[in-house]
Amino acid sequence: MIEKFLNEEQDPKAVEKVYSRLVDLLSSGEEIIYIAVQKKPLVNLFPDCIAITNKRVLFFTPANLGLSIKFVDFVWKDIVDVHTKEEIIGAVFSVKTTNGAEMAVDYLPKIQGRKLYQYAQERKEIEREARRQRDLEQKRAESGSIQFDNPAAAHAATAQQTYTAPAPVVTQQPAPAAPPAPAPAPVVHEVPKPDELTEKLKKLKTLFDNGLISQEEYNHKKLDLLSDL
């Protein structure tokens, strides 16, 4: 389980001791991101360690000749600054909190100091965005604005706020109707007598039925006769 925290030549014994203690301290949803181990130039029997999780930074210090270990932790929302300073021998990693507290570990291998700084900056950026969202929510709550999860509800509320009463409808009295124009004189057509027209149509049909005239001739002659009506 600790192999992924030994990529930068961390002391395996120190990492194992910190890891076993750290597992018991993790809260729900908390994950270990990185563990760095102090490396003093001469005696390095009981090194200090730093662990970074997705929720906080923890500083571990051995006590009682290595028989026990103490720790101090800072949650990301309370950290205002992280800093790494590379010196001739190793690097110093430090954090500063909102209430002015500071914590640092020196003699860290430089590559571990850089990793600590990299991961810390990433977590700070995430926390800044989370803080910005919290501030926006607080401002919305203070201003009394209503948040809608349903876009249709938001649209309905906006429509209610922007509703304007319709203008009154003015009914105009219709103008007096003009007197009707005189009806045109009826056109009188000379219509063949019904019996005569019927006889002609019968004869025309007989000619067509007997095949003496074509369909086109029959239709044309029938129209001529009917046009006289």
Side-chain angles (χ1 to χ4, degrees), residues 16-27:
E16 184 176 7
K17 184 178 293 186
V18 168
Y19 181 82
S20 62
R21 179 68 183 277
L22 186 55
V23 169
D24 296 332
L25 300 173
L26 295 178
S27 61

Side-chain angles (χ1 to χ4, degrees), residues 10-227:
Q10 289 93 332
D11 183 345
K13 291 183 179 180
V15 171
E16 184 176 7
K17 184 178 293 186
V18 168
Y19 181 82
S20 62
R21 179 68 183 277
L22 186 55
V23 169
D24 296 332
L25 300 173
L26 295 178
S27 61
S28 176
E30 188 173 12
E31 299 177 358
I32 305 171
I33 297 174
Y34 192 74
I35 298 176
V37 180
Q38 185 184 53
K39 189 174 183 179
K40 294 181 179 179
L42 298 177
V43 180
N44 197 46
L45 296 178
F46 310 114
D48 292 348
C49 298
I50 302 174
I52 288 181
T53 75
N54 58 328
K55 293 186 178 182
R56 50 184 168 163
V57 180
L58 301 97
F59 292 83
F60 292 91
T61 303
N64 299 323
L65 298 176
L67 298 177
S68 61
I69 187 168
K70 299 185 299 183
F71 77 93
V72 178
D73 65 329
F74 304 97
V75 294
W76 287 111
K77 70 182 184 65
D78 293 335
I79 296 176
V80 295
D81 189 29
V82 295
H83 184 69
T84 297
K85 179 182 179 182
E86 294 190 1
E87 299 180 334
I88 297 176
I89 301 177
V92 180
F93 177 80
S94 60
V95 300
K96 185 176 182 179
T97 66
T98 53
N99 60 7
E102 292 188 40
M103 192 74 180
V105 172
D106 56 4
Y107 294 112
L108 290 168
K110 293 181 181 180
I111 187 171
Q112 294 183 36
R114 294 167 192 163
K115 287 286 187 178
L116 285 172
Y117 183 77
Q118 173 189 344
Y119 291 127
Q121 287 296 331
E122 290 175 358
R123 299 314 307 179
K124 277 190 60 183
E125 183 62 30
I126 294 173
E127 180 55 37
R128 274 195 294 267
E129 178 62 21
R131 185 182 297 116
R132 188 180 72 84
Q133 292 295 333
R134 289 194 297 268
D135 291 343
L136 287 175
E137 292 298 329
Q138 183 177 358
K139 289 179 180 179
R140 292 191 186 106
E142 292 174 353
S143 63
S145 60
I146 302 175
Q147 301 298 313
F148 293 96
D149 292 331
N150 187 348
H155 178 73
T158 304
Q160 286 182 343
Q161 293 175 358
T162 58
Y163 174 77
T164 303
V169 179
V170 179
T171 304
Q172 296 182 349
Q173 296 293 334
V187 178
V188 179
H189 296 279
E190 293 183 359
V191 182
K193 294 180 180 180
D195 293 341
E196 181 181 353
L197 178 60
T198 301
E199 290 298 325
K200 289 183 178 181
L201 290 173
K202 287 181 178 180
K203 290 180 180 180
L204 181 64
K205 184 67 168 59
T206 302
L207 292 174
F208 174 71
D209 292 340
N210 294 329
L212 299 176
I213 61 174
S214 65
Q215 179 73 54
E216 182 179 357
E217 291 173 330
Y218 171 74
N219 292 338
H220 180 72
K221 187 62 178 176
K222 183 178 179 180
L223 289 175
D224 287 344
L225 294 173
L226 294 176
S227 64

